[in-house]
Amino acid sequence: PRSTLFPYTTLFRSGDYKGAYGRFSEAVRLDPTNVDALYGLAASADGLHHAQEALTNYKLYLEIAPDGHDAKSARKAIRSLSK
C-alpha cells in the first residue's frame, strides 16, 4: 500500500534520491507489480540522472496502471526524457 512507502517518498522529497532509489528498488523487488514503488523507482532514477532506467520504469508503470494516479506525470517524464 502507498502508506507503507511514505518513508521512501520522504527520502525522495528531501532530495535523497540515492536513499529513495535503494528503498524503492527493494520494494519493487519484493512486489514487481507495486505501481507506487515503480513510480518512485522511476522518479528516483530520474533524479540520479539514470535516464534509461527511469524511462524503463515509467513505461512499466504505465503498462500496469495506464490510468493510475501518477500516469499523467509519468507520461510527462517520458516525453521529457525522450528528447
Side-chain angles (χ1 to χ4, degrees), residues 9-21:
T9 304
T10 301
L11 286 171
F12 177 81
R13 288 187 180 153
S14 72
D16 183 1
Y17 302 124
K18 187 175 181 180
Y21 177 87

Side-chain angles (χ1 to χ4, degrees), residues 61-75:
Y61 171 90
L62 289 172
E63 284 177 27
I64 296 170
D67 298 317
H69 55 269
D70 291 312
K72 184 177 179 181
S73 57
R75 286 186 185 89

